[in-house]
Structures are given as structure tokens and as C-alpha cells.
């Protein structure tokens, strides 16, 4: 013990190591290690009653993603999973686009406010992030169902004759995803606009640009890092969404998250679930890497 | 080391290297210094020359790469900062924001195990000493910059350290407050009799406040001495250039330690601590205020007035000296004793009369 | 200067204020609707018939909900304590020293934020099952602890970064040894950051659903998992009431956490 204390006092690396060890060990053992294990499980043979067969390696899970085997043992392309992946990508992309459309004006507005209001506005933007995702998505059930607020409003305005089916559709999922991840778009754009020197915009006016041009030629390009960060921060969690499609989507609008979950529930196909999760992880990390390489390097290198 | 007693601080061959490989920074290079007891000693030098590093080594916040630091004769290098009888006044003051002024001042005493009544008495005395008598219960954030400065001083002095280290303590203050605090610091140093090691890059501050000054550059001490020695007898071009304004003249030694011939033919007599031999080429330093201008004669240093800058108390003449190989025009600063009327006009030929003893021979 | 700019017509871009208004309405309308309907007396939970606190009463009398809330509190408290401790010591280790691999350490701490929750959930579940740890409250606590570490770490780190580096040096200069410096200076100054981080961890743990859903064994149902089950069965006023309660608790907590984090001592 005395020797330990002495070591801590004398050696800076030893001290730093001891201090960061708990966090590193917790995350290492209960997150990094499980991710590795998951990758391994994805190449194991599926167990008869769920679970896996240890030591029996196969790429079946990855094959099963693309092909299905009929009773005669012939492989044919299975469009089901591909369709779910495609739907996830499309919905995430649409979500990202809508978030950008709604989020940019909001961020720009916030950046133009006096300092004392700005902090309050940021706080208002962040609050939903800290509230329960499940509950927030549940709130949209109340909004979207046939006698919900949205239908009532549309009926009241005379825009529709009878309630439209919103709930359990791709539209509902998109609305829910936008709602879930919108703050992630606004905050980074705001951060880059807030740093923006407004005299640059004045310079654009001074050089004869009208507002539209000043906006498109000066404000938007300078906010580009924020826009990129926002897009990635919305796209990634949308792609892995589970709660929103589970609550607001129907059985015909599954996303990757639900597909993965079902492999651990009803389908009892762990290797496939692990493979799907691993594929999702790979896509996410790839997107992150592309983003980091494109936007975090000095411009000269890119 | 004056009066033969042991020095308060004796730094021997101190070297400090930060980083390694391509990122290596040699912040201090073989520095040796002796600082006497009760001395107001100033480290002066341009940014990055290693002043802060030297103070931090003495305080114990950094470990030297090589060399010794003796405090009253004892090597303190192996002691952690909290065991060194040395205290620091930080540039940012570093007052503890969660404690009152009185708690800040008493912190060091508390850590040394003083009992509460004694701490209270000493804190009271210190508050008086820095003229903050009634503010003991305030938080540091409720004080002005000058007041925070005084608390930082009181907090350090309360421990009656053998040496007080001050790293640019006045740099955050505005001009007027700064002048006030300069006087205040001198008074505190006299009253407490504590050795002060003071860092600044303001040469005027260094010259007016210090008993002795060490001029540093690139991690080395260029010259240490009294303000007069530093100003009047700079040993090298860096010191002469860094402190005040100086004319540099190239010359050839005509006779060792006495006479120096300029390219134009004029001959100046000067001091040479380095005893350059006859025939050697040397640089002479000559302060602008140590010369007088007169109507051009046949002999001596002469030139043509190029430009005149009026300063109120004095006037600066820029003079082109024929034949002299100068980087910049020769400057002569003439006091305006008889009002503002310029004595010479641009283009006029003038003679430059050099006061005896004004010329200093430098090593480059 | 900014204030002047907002009043300057030059800075009024068409559609920007309207866009912002829409954004904030979109953000808060569902929350208000949910809270509003939680006070509806009608069993149908769809048409407003009158004000009532009955459903809150129902919720508080429902033993299953109370048990789930109890589980949530146990998990959140334990995970917060462990995560905050780990985050605090890690932040202390990362401050004041520069070493190679520091970026890597930061990346590992941020891991739980980057990786999609569903992936983490799957990986964690597989790990527990394969290693042979019985699913239950313990597994939930472990999973939550991992997830909470970055949320506890960030405010503490920010507080440390904002601290004058000379402050601990001043303490050492004034004869405080390492332990005294930590107890008397560093810890009190860090306290708002620690509190803020702990509160954020606590909310995150209370709210996390997906991971909990995967790794909670029988008897370890937390409030979000229970609510999920209720929603699956049908929309009832009780769901509205408990959901509204959760929202309000989270909002109160996060407001408090931000207030504490900004505290200047
Ligand atoms: N911790 C450190 N790591 C690496 N280099 C350092 C460190 N501290 C100081 N240096 C370098 O050492 C040199 C001397 O720095 P120091 O702070 O002592 O200068 P200074 O004379 O106090 O300057 P200033 O007047 O700007 O305060 C500089 O080049 C500085 O960059
Ligand atoms: Mg310095």
C-alpha cells in the first residue's frame, strides 16, 4: 500500500493510468468487449432452440441477409431484408432533409438574437433531448391518431373531409424521427452560425448582394461545417432507430432496429441479429469516418 | 552574496528542457544566479525567454532537467512545492474563489498547522499591511483587480517566506494602478525585509524598482547587475538594445581600452571591460541622451540632420553620419531647457559632442 | 450591438422568424398536448370532457408502476454513483497532463454516445448471456453505468478546463499537500460540475429505454419498460399521466442540473 502511494506520487504516468482506469475498464469490458463478441456471434451457427452453436463457424447470417433458401436448398434473392434496409435509409435521409429545412431557419434565428435570449433558446432546444424518448414518441400517437389533434385541426380547417390514416405509416415514422432528432440538427448549425462574423454578411450587402444572395453565398457556406455535423448527427441515430418505428410504424414499416430486435425476440436468430447489428455499426462508423475526413481536416488536406 | 553571507537563492547551472525530439524547447540553458537576502531582484526579458520557467523551478512547480537550486545554502530541488519556504504571487492572482479574503490569507498558515486565534491575528495584521482592513469577509470575485492583487500579496506574505516570487504581478492592472502598486510593492519589501524575485518585461518597472536586475534572453542570463550597471554598462548588444535606446557604431580599436576609430575618421574614447586588442573591430554603444549637438566643427563626429521629432520634454534628432556604417540613423536626444524652439533644422550640418565615459564597448 | 442588429431591417430574412416559430411549436406542442390530456377526466382519453387528477391517483395506486419506479430509482442511483465516480477520476487524470493517446481515451469515453443504442443493446445482451450473468437489475445497472459515464464526464471536464491552472499550484505553494489540495480546493471548486454530471446521468438512466428493454430480466422492469408495455396494450389515461410525470421530472431535473452547472462559487 505504502509502495503504491509512493508510486502514485512519484510517477505521473502511473497516476494518470490509475485515474482513467475505472472508466476505461467499465467501458472496455461492458461495451468494447461485447461489441467484439457480437461480431464473433455473427459468424456462428445458429442454435437449434435459439442461442448459438459454439465453435461452428459460418457466414450463413450474412448470406441470409441477401438470399433465402427454398425447400429444395436453392438460393434465391430475398428482397425482404434489403427492403427494410432501403426503407431505413430512405426514411433517415428524408428525416435528415426535413430536419435541415426546419432546423436551419431556427438556428439562424437564434444566432441573430441578443446574447441573453440566445442562452434561453438553446436551453429550450436541449430540453426535449433530456426527456424520455419513448414518452415523446408516445405523445405523437396522441397527435396523429384518427381523432388526434392533427386530424381534428385539418378537419376544422376544412382541408380534409374525413380523418386520414397517419398513424402506423411511414409518414408517422418520419414525423417521429424528425421530432426525436431535430435538436441535433439545430445545435451544431447554431454553433457555426454563432461564430460567424456578421460583418461578413454586412460586407456582402456592401458589395451589392441582396439578402437572398448574401444568404446563399455567405451565410450558408460559412455554416457548412455545422450543417454537415447536424446531418450526420440526425442520420446516424435515425438509421438505428428502434422506439419510433416500434410505436409509430406498423408491421409493414419496419426499420433496421426493429428487424434486429425481432431476431432476439420471436425469430430467435442470434447470429442474424448480431450480423445485422454489426452491419449497422459498420455503416455508422463508415459515415462518421467519411464525415471526419471531409470536415475535420484543414481544408487544404481535403 | 554581498557582505559574505549566504545567498537567499543560489541557482547553479540550471537547465530546463520541455518536451523531447522535434518538440524540444530549451527554456533555460545553464543559468547561474545568486540573489542576496533582502534584495529586490528582477528578471527582465522578452516574452518566452524563460522568466516564468525560472520562477516555477524555484517554487517547485517544475523539476529542473539539470542543475541546482540552493535556498540559503540548502538544495531544495527534491522538495515538493508545499515543503519549500517560498511563496508565489501569481499573475492571475489564483485566489481561491470559494473562500473569503480572510480564509485565503489564512490558508497557508492553516496548512502549516497554526491554531485559529493566531491565524486570525496574523490575517488581521496582513489586511492592515496591504490596506484592506475592512474587506476580510468579501469573496475575491467581489474585489477590484487592484484589491485582488493586494490579497494575493497578503496571502503570500502571511507565511513570512524566505523568498517571495512575483510573476508579472502588475501586468493586469491599468497604468495608474500599476504605478501605485509599484510604490506599494517597494514599501512592502522594505517593511517585511523579504527577498523579492520579481518578473516583468517592462524595463522601466525593472529599473525603477529593483536592487538588481537580470536581463534574460533565449533561456540565458545575459547580464545581472544594478539598474545603473545594466543601463550604463551593458555587456552586449542584446542588453544595450533591449534596455532603452542605443546607437550602435562600428569601430576599430586604436589603443586597448581607450581609443576607438570610426570609419569616418572620428575617434571616441570608451570603456571596455573585455579589453579588445588594438586593431580589432568592435561595436560601440552610445545612448542618445549622452551626446550634445553643436555647430559643426572641423574635428570630431559630424553629420547632417535628417529628421526631427518633438517630444515635449526633449527633442530627438536623427543625424546621418558621413562614412559611418549604421543600420539606422544616429539618434541624439536633446533636452528642451529653453522652450520648444528647435536649435537645428533639417539638412543642417551638426557636430556630435560625446560626454566623457558615455561610450561602452560591447561583445556582440 | 447584436440587439441593434436584430431591430435593423437589414437583418430580417424572410421566413426565418416564421421558421423558428414553427420549430419551437413543433418541439413543444406534443409535450403540452400530452400533459394537457393527462388531466382529462374522460376514460377514452381522446375527447376533453373536464379537468381531473384521477389518473394521477390511479398511477400512484398502481403497485406495478410503483415497483417499476422503485427499480428505476435503484438503477439510476447506483449507475449514477458509479458513473460519476469513474468520470470524476478520469477527468482528473485527463486534466493537467498531456500524453499520447489522450485523444483515444476521449474517444473511448465518447463511445457510448456514438454507437447506436440498438447495437449497444444487442452487444450487451449477448455479452451477459454468453458470459452467464443472469439478467436482472444488476445487468441493467451495469449497462446504464456504461451509458452514463460520458454524460457525467463532460460537465466535470468542462468545469476542470474552466479552472485556473494556477489555483491548485497556489494551494501547493501555500503548503497544502496533494490530499489537502484536493479536499480543500479542487473538490469544492469542481462540485457544481460533479453535481451537474451526476444529475444528467440520473436523468439519462431514468429515461433510457432500448438498452433496458434488452437487458432487463424478469422482475427488473423499469418505468420506461413498463410504460412501453402499457402503450402496447392500448392508450389509456394512466399512460398519459405517468408519461406526463416522467416528462416533468426530467425537465425539472435538467433545469436544476444546468442551474447548478452554471453556478459560480
Ligand atoms: N509546460 C511547457 N511545455 C512546453 N514548453 C514550455 C512549457 N512552459 C514553457 N515552455 C516554453 O519555454 C519557453 C520559456 O517560457 P516562459 O514561460 O518561461 O517564458 P517567459 O519569459 O515567462 O515569457 P512571458 O514573458 O511571455 O511570460 C517558451 O518557449 C515556452 O513556450
Ligand atoms: Mg511568463
Amino acid at each position: 500500500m505504502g509502495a503504491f502511494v509512493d508510486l502514485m506520487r512519484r510517477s505521473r504516468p502511473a497516476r494518470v493510468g490509475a485515474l482513467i482506469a475505472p472508466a476505461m475498464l467499465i467501458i472496455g469490458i461492458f461495451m468494447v468487449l461485447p461489441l467484439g463478441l457480437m461480431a464473433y456471434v455473427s459468424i456462428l451457427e445458429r442454435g437449434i432452440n435459439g442461442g448459438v452453436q459454439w465453435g461452428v463457424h459460418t457466414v450463413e447470417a450474412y448470406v441470409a441477409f441477401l438470399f433465402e433458401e427454398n425447400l429444395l436448398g436453392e438460393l434465391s434473392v430475398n428482397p425482404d431484408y434489403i427492403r427494410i434496409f432501403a426503407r431505413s435509409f430512405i426514411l433517415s435521409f428524408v428525416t435528415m432533409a426535413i430536419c435541415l429545412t426546419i432546423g436551419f431557419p431556427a438556428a439562424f434565428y437564434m444566432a441573430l438574437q441578443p446574447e441573453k435570449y440566445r442562452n434561453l433558446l438553446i436551453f429550450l432546444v436541449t430540453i426535449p433531448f433530456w426527456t424520455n424518448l419513448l414518452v415523446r414518441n408516445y405523445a405523437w400517437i396522441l397527435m396523429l391518431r384518427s381523432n388526434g389533434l392533427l386530424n381534428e385541426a385539418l378537419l376544422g380547417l376544412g382541408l380534409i373531409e374525413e380523418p386520414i390514416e397517419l398513424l402506423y405509416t411511414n409518414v408517422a415514422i418520419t414525423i417521429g424521427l424528425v421530432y426525436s432528432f431535430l435538436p441535433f440538427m439545430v445545435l451544431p448549425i447554431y454553433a457555426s452560425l454563432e461564430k460567424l462574423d456578421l460583418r461578413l454578411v454586412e460586407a456582402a450587402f456592401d458589395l451589392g448582394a441582396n439578402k437572398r444572395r448574401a444568404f446563399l453565398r455567405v451565410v450558408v457556406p460559412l455554416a457548412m461545417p455545422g450543417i454537415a455535423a447536424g446531418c450526420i448527427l440526425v442520420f446516424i441515430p435515425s438509421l438505428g432507430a428502434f422506439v419510433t418505428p416500434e410505436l409509430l410504424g406498423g408491421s409493414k414499416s419496419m426499420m433496421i432496429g426493429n428487424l434486429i430486435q425481432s431476431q432476439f425476440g420471436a425469430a430467435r436468430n442470434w447470429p442474424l441479429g448480431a450480423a445485422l447489428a454489426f452491419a449497422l455499426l459498420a455503416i455508422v462508423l463508415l459515415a462518421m469516418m467519411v464525415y471526419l475526413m471531409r470536415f475535420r481536416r484543414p481544408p487544404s488536406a481535403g | 552574496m554581498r557582505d559574505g553571507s549566504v545567498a537567499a537563492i543560489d541557482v547553479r547551472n540550471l537547465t530546463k528542457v520541455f518536451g523531447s525530439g522535434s518538440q524540444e524547447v530549451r527554456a533555460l540553458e545553464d543559468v547561474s544566479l545568486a540573489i542576496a537576502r533582502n534584495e529586490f531582484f528582477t528578471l527582465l526579458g522578452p516574452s518566452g525567454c524563460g522568466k516564468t520557467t525560472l520562477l516555477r523551478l524555484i517554487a517547485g512547480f517544475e523539476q529542473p532537467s539539470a542543475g541546482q537550486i540552493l535556498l540559503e545554502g540548502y538544495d531544495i530541488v527534491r522538495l515538493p512545492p508545499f515543503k519549500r519556504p517560498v511563496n508565489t504571487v501569481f499573475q492571475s492572482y489564483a485566489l481561491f474563489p470559494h473562500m473569503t479574503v480572510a480564509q485565503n490569507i489564512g490558508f497557508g498558515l492553516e496548512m502549516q498547522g497554526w491554531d485559529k486565534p493566531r491565524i486570525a491575528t496574523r490575517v488581521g495584521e496582513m489586511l492592515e499591511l496591504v490596506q484592506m482592513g475592512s474587506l476580510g469577509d468579501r469573496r475575491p470575485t467581489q474585489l477590484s483587480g487592484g484589491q485582488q492583487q493586494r490579497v494575493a500579496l497578503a496571502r503570500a506574505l502571511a507565511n513570512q517566506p524566505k523568498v517571495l516570487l512575483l510573476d508579472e504581478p502588475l501586468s493586469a492592472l491599468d497604468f495608474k494602478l500599476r504605478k501605485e502598486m509599484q510604490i506599494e510593492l517597494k514599501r512592502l519589501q522594505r517593511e517585511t525585509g523579504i527577498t523579492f524575485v520579481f518578473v516583468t518585461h517592462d524595463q522601466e518597472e525593472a529599473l525603477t524598482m529593483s536592487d538588481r536586475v537580470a536581463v534574460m534572453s533565449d533561456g540565458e542570463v545575459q547580464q545581472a547587475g544594478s539598474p545603473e550597471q545594466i543601463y550604463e554598462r551593458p555587456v552586449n548588444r542584446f542588453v544595450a538594445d533591449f534596455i532603452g535606446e542605443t546607437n550602435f557604431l562600428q569601430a576599430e580599436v586604436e589603443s586597448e581600452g581607450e581609443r576607438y576609430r570610426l570609419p569616418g575618421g572620428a575617434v571616441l574614447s570608451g570603456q571596455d571591460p573585455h579589453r579588445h586588442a588594438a586593431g580589432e573591430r568592435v561595436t560601440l554603444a552610445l545612448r542618445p541622451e549622452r551626446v550634445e549637438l553643436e555647430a559643426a566643427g572641423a574635428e570630431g563626429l559630424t553629420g547632417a540632420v535628417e529628421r526631427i521629432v518633438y517630444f515635449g520634454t526633449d527633442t530627438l534628432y536623427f543625424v546621418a553620419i558621413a562614412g559611418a556604417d549604421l543600420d539606422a540613423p544616429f539618434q541624439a536626444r536633446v533636452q528642451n531647457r529653453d522652450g520648444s524652439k528647435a536649435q537645428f533644422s533639417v539638412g543642417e550640418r551638426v557636430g556630435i559632442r560625446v560626454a566623457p565615459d558615455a561610450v561602452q564597448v560591447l561583445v556582440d | 450591438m447584436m440587439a441593434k442588429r436584430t431591430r435593423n431591417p437589414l437583418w430580417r430574412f424572410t421566413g426565418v422568424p416564421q421558421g423558428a416559430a414553427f420549430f419551437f411549436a413543433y418541439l413543444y406542442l406534443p409535450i403540452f398536448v400530452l400533459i394537457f390530456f393527462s388531466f382529462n377526466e374522460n376514460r377514452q382519453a381522446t375527447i376533453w370532457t373536464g379537468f381531473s387528477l384521477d389518473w394521477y391517483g390511479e398511477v400512484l395506486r398502481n403497485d406495478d408502476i410503483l415497483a417499476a419506479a422503485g427499480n428505476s430509482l435503484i438503477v439510476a442511483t447506483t449507475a449514477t454513483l458509479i458513473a460519476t465516480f469513474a468520470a470524476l477520476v478520469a477527468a482528473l487524470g485527463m486534466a493537467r497532463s498531456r500524453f499520447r493517446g489522450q485523444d483515444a481515451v476521449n474517444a473511448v469515453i465518447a463511445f457510448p454516445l456514438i454507437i447506436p443504442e440498438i447495437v449497444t443493446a444487442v452487444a450487451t445482451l449477448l455479452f451477459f448471456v454468453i458470459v452467464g450473468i443472469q439478467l436482472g437489475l444488476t445487468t441493467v445497472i451495469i449497462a446504464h453505468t456504461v451509458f452514463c459515464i460520458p454524460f457525467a464526464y463532460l460537465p466535470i471536464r468542462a468545469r476542470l478546463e474552466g479552472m485556473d491552472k494556477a489555483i491548485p499550484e497556489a494551494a501547493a505553494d501555500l503548503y497544502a499537500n496533494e490530499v489537502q489540495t484536493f479536499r480543500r480546493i479542487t473538490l469544492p471548486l469542481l462540485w457544481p460540475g460533479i453535481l451537474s454530471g451526476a444529475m444528467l446521468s440520473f436523468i439519462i438512466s431514468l429515461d433510457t429505454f432500448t438498452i433496458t428493454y434488452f437487458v432487463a430480466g424478469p422482475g427488473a422492469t423499469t418505468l420506461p419498460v413498463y410504460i412501453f408495455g402499457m402503450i402496447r396494450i392500448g392508450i389509456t389515461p394512466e399512460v398519459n399521466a405517468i408519461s406526463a410525470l416522467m416528462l416533468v421530472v426530467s425537465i425539472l431535473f435538467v433545469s436544476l442540473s444546468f442551474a447548478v452547472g452554471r453556478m459560480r462559487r
Side-chain angles (χ1 to χ4, degrees):
Chain A
M1 188 65 200
F4 178 74
V5 170
D6 202 48
L7 177 70
M8 288 297 107
R9 175 162 297 171
R10 288 195 185 282
S11 156
R12 185 166 260 189
R15 180 162 45 185
V16 170
L19 288 173
I20 60 177
M24 292 296 105
L25 286 177
I26 293 174
I27 297 177
I29 295 176
F30 296 112
M31 179 136 198
V32 181
L33 190 64
L35 286 172
L37 202 60
M38 182 185 82
Y40 182 64
V41 165
S42 76
I43 55 163
L44 286 179
E45 176 78 38
R46 166 185 192 187
I48 319 258
N49 304 311
V52 290
Q53 293 180 24
W54 289 102
V56 187
H57 298 139
T58 169
V59 290
E60 200 175 276
Y62 292 92
V63 174
F65 172 66
L66 293 174
F67 304 101
E68 63 188 345
E69 202 171 339
N70 64 16
L71 291 171
L72 301 173
E74 292 163 343
L75 288 180
S76 59
V77 175
N78 173 2
D80 290 354
Y81 298 153
I82 297 171
R83 206 173 285 144
I84 291 173
F85 263 72
R87 180 186 302 119
S88 298
F89 269 92
I90 292 169
L91 288 180
S92 300
F93 192 82
V94 172
T95 299
M96 186 180 90
I98 296 176
C99 281
L100 182 59
T101 315
I102 302 175
F104 195 97
F108 193 36
Y109 175 81
M110 283 165 61
L112 286 173
Q113 294 310 300
E115 186 133 6
K116 54 181 174 181
Y117 296 130
R118 275 191 259 163
N119 286 334
L120 177 67
L121 291 173
I122 294 174
F123 184 60
L124 285 179
V125 174
T126 44
I127 278 187
F129 171 75
W130 300 106
T131 59
N132 196 311
L133 186 70
L134 187 72
V135 168
R136 273 189 291 147
N137 277 285
Y138 168 68
W140 275 102
I141 299 185
L142 297 183
M143 301 283 291
L144 295 177
R145 60 191 168 164
S146 54
N147 51 0
L149 198 75
L150 212 64
N151 266 317
E152 298 286 333
L154 292 176
L155 282 170
L157 290 171
L159 290 174
I160 52 173
E161 304 273 289
E162 57 191 51
I164 44 173
E165 275 306 316
L166 287 169
L167 206 50
Y168 312 128
T169 63
N170 287 339
V171 176
I173 295 182
T174 310
I175 291 177
L177 288 177
V178 171
Y179 187 65
S180 301
F181 305 122
L182 192 51
F184 295 153
M185 180 65 85
V186 174
L187 292 175
I189 296 181
Y190 166 79
S192 62
L193 284 176
E194 198 236 87
K195 271 185 293 180
L196 182 154
D197 185 351
L198 288 176
R199 282 172 306 183
L200 293 176
V201 185
E202 283 172 345
F205 289 147
D206 189 60
L207 294 169
N210 59 21
K211 279 187 196 176
R212 216 181 99 80
R213 288 222 183 148
F215 181 78
L216 290 177
R217 299 287 299 276
V218 179
V219 177
V220 172
L222 288 172
M224 217 52 209
I227 294 174
C231 286
I232 200 99
L233 286 177
V234 170
F235 189 79
I236 287 180
S238 297
L239 203 57
F242 167 66
V243 173
T244 305
E246 192 74 15
L247 288 188
L248 303 178
S251 52
K252 292 212 187 86
S253 41
M254 248 193 186
M255 287 177 69
I256 303 175
N258 314 92
L259 181 61
I260 294 173
Q261 194 270 330
S262 69
Q263 303 310 315
F264 292 87
R268 307 274 291 154
N269 190 346
W270 287 14
L272 181 57
L276 291 168
F278 189 67
L280 178 62
L281 179 63
I283 294 167
V284 164
L285 291 182
L286 203 72
M288 284 291 284
M289 256 162 58
V290 169
Y291 163 74
L292 288 178
M293 270 161 43
R294 176 70 185 76
F295 284 97
R296 285 294 159 89
R297 285 243 196 95
S300 59
Chain B
M1 297 270 220
R2 287 187 264 175
D3 11 340
S5 68
V6 65
I9 294 277
D10 192 352
V11 167
R12 294 185 185 163
N13 310 101
L14 202 59
T15 296
K16 177 66 187 174
V17 184
F18 288 109
S20 58
S22 64
Q23 296 182 3
E24 185 181 282
V25 178
R26 305 191 75 84
L28 289 179
E29 191 71 67
D30 201 22
V31 166
S32 295
L33 269 181
I35 300 171
R37 284 182 183 170
N38 304 345
E39 200 168 35
F40 196 117
F41 191 90
T42 297
L43 299 172
L44 175 67
S47 192
C49 69
K51 307 180 294 286
T52 298
T53 304
L54 181 52
L55 277 204
R56 292 174 59 81
L57 284 165
I58 296 173
F61 304 137
E62 306 278 358
Q63 285 294 305
S65 309
Q68 284 180 304
I69 303 170
L70 306 187
L71 181 88
E72 301 198 335
Y74 294 98
D75 194 342
I76 55 169
V77 162
R78 298 183 141 269
L79 293 182
F82 54 88
K83 290 196 177 143
R84 299 189 186 194
V86 166
N87 287 112
T88 305
V89 175
F90 292 85
Q91 186 171 3
S92 59
Y93 312 141
L95 298 177
F96 305 130
H98 58 305
M99 296 183 186
T100 63
V101 166
Q103 286 169 335
N104 263 283
I105 297 174
F107 186 81
L109 305 172
E110 196 189 326
M111 290 300 119
Q112 293 177 91
W114 285 37
D115 54 35
K116 286 222 167 76
R118 274 181 77 205
I119 294 178
T121 315
R122 170 62 69 78
V123 167
E125 287 167 15
M126 295 319 295
L127 283 168
E128 287 307 316
L129 183 68
V130 296
Q131 298 165 350
M132 295 264 305
S134 58
L135 299 176
D137 293 331
R138 292 261 189 103
R139 287 289 171 96
T141 45
Q142 298 167 316
L143 300 177
S144 72
Q147 289 171 328
Q148 291 183 25
Q149 170 79 79
R150 285 165 196 269
V151 177
L153 271 166
R155 183 176 74 174
L157 288 172
N159 309 289
Q160 295 183 319
K162 297 243 188 323
V163 175
L164 184 71
L165 307 171
L166 305 102
D167 192 355
E168 304 196 32
L170 307 182
S171 62
L173 304 179
D174 64 38
F175 183 75
K176 193 155 168 292
L177 209 51
R178 196 176 170 129
K179 293 287 158 201
E180 265 175 48
M181 284 308 296
Q182 288 178 0
I183 295 166
E184 184 78 10
L185 274 179
K186 272 307 272 190
R187 176 181 72 83
L188 286 172
Q189 198 257 332
R190 264 198 314 274
E191 283 180 16
T192 59
I194 291 171
T195 309
F196 276 33
V197 182
F198 182 85
V199 164
T200 181
H201 51 228
D202 179 337
Q203 44 163 304
E204 189 188 316
E205 199 165 276
L207 295 180
T208 54
M209 298 179 70
S210 322
D211 295 321
R212 282 198 310 143
V213 179
V215 180
M216 297 180 64
S217 115
D218 287 338
E220 292 180 37
V221 172
Q222 302 295 327
Q223 186 175 6
S226 68
E228 296 79 12
Q229 284 171 336
I230 298 283
Y231 188 81
E232 303 290 347
R233 300 284 162 236
V235 294
N236 60 25
R237 185 161 179 149
F238 175 83
V239 176
D241 203 20
F242 187 69
I243 311 242
E245 288 157 341
T246 308
N247 295 300
F248 294 105
L249 303 163
Q250 302 302 323
E252 194 186 310
V253 182
E254 196 171 273
S255 63
E256 182 183 313
E258 281 174 33
R259 293 165 60 76
Y260 305 88
R261 177 176 294 278
L262 300 182
V267 173
L268 297 175
S269 55
Q271 298 245 342
D272 182 8
H274 316 287
R275 317 283 324 160
H276 290 92
E280 270 189 80
R281 295 199 59 80
V282 292
T283 302
L284 308 179
L286 185 48
R287 299 283 182 193
E289 72 277 8
R290 299 296 303 275
V291 301
E292 271 177 63
L293 296 185
E294 55 191 16
E299 298 236 326
L301 207 48
T302 58
V305 176
E306 246 184 23
R307 199 149 64 85
I308 303 173
V309 181
Y310 175 69
F311 275 95
T313 55
D314 45 36
T315 302
L316 194 59
Y317 291 88
F318 291 82
V319 181
I321 298 178
D325 157 33
L326 296 176
D327 304 340
F330 188 90
Q331 299 181 29
R333 193 176 274 276
V334 180
Q335 282 215 333
N336 295 329
R337 286 206 197 81
D338 312 321
S340 64
K341 192 165 61 72
Q343 292 148 302
F344 304 96
S345 48
V346 173
E348 202 173 330
R349 286 201 65 76
V350 290
I352 298 168
R353 186 141 53 85
V354 178
D357 248 20
V359 173
Q360 174 74 8
V361 181
L362 304 175
V363 278
D364 273 304
Chain C
M1 201 160 86
M2 284 299 295
K4 246 187 254 157
R5 281 196 164 127
T6 38
R7 260 180 265 124
N8 186 340
L10 200 56
W11 289 99
R12 271 188 223 131
F13 286 82
T14 321
V16 166
Q18 290 84 344
F22 178 75
F23 165 76
F24 280 104
Y26 184 50
L27 217 51
Y28 281 94
L29 190 62
I31 292 180
F32 287 131
V33 167
L34 173 62
I35 293 176
F36 180 76
F37 271 105
S38 72
F39 293 112
N40 188 4
E41 113 194 310
N42 196 312
R43 166 98 254 185
Q44 285 305 312
T46 45
I47 323 140
W48 179 260
T49 49
F51 179 85
S52 157
L53 287 173
D54 289 356
W55 307 116
Y56 287 93
E58 290 286 318
V59 163
L60 295 179
R61 278 192 298 276
N62 183 330
D63 288 338
D64 291 341
I65 290 185
L66 293 183
N71 282 341
S72 276
L73 287 181
I74 292 169
V75 170
T77 310
T78 319
T80 296
L81 288 177
I82 304 172
T84 308
F85 171 77
L88 171 63
V89 291
L92 288 171
M94 295 289 281
R96 276 199 292 163
S97 44
R98 302 244 132 266
F99 57 93
R100 249 174 293 152
Q102 211 162 16
D103 286 347
V105 172
N106 274 326
V108 169
I109 291 178
F111 239 53
L113 297 180
I114 304 167
I115 294 171
E117 205 179 329
I118 186 88
V119 176
T120 312
V122 165
T124 316
L125 170 70
L126 286 173
F127 174 78
F128 286 141
V129 171
I130 288 167
V131 173
I133 302 175
Q134 186 76 44
L135 294 186
L137 270 189
T138 318
T139 49
V140 179
I141 290 171
I142 291 173
H144 280 209
T145 303
V146 175
F147 210 70
C148 288
I149 286 177
F151 289 94
Y153 178 76
L154 293 174
I156 298 175
R157 191 71 212 280
R159 189 86 191 173
L160 261 177
E161 301 269 283
M163 201 161 99
D164 183 355
K165 299 208 177 13
I167 291 261
E169 283 181 353
D173 191 60
L174 294 165
Y175 313 102
N177 62 30
E178 283 103 344
V179 175
Q180 287 167 321
T181 301
F182 183 71
R183 285 208 6 226
R184 297 288 309 277
I185 307 296
T186 315
L187 196 58
L189 289 177
L190 227 46
W191 201 234
I194 297 171
L195 220 54
S196 170
M199 286 165 124
L200 294 184
S201 297
F202 193 80
I203 312 170
I204 286 295
S205 170
L206 274 188
D207 285 346
T208 294
F209 166 70
T210 306
I211 292 184
T212 323
Y213 185 59
F214 272 73
V215 301
T221 304
T222 63
L223 211 41
V225 174
Y226 189 80
I227 294 175
F228 183 71
M230 286 173 88
I231 297 173
R232 275 285 183 78
I233 295 167
I235 299 156
T236 62
E238 284 104 329
V239 180
N240 290 352
I242 182 72
S243 299
L245 271 178
M246 288 211 68
L247 280 181
V248 172
V249 167
S250 298
I251 291 174
L252 281 182
F253 241 86
V254 74
S255 307
L256 210 64
S257 155
F258 274 74
V260 168
R262 291 164 63 100
M263 213 156 69
R264 271 193 228 121
R265 294 252 254 150

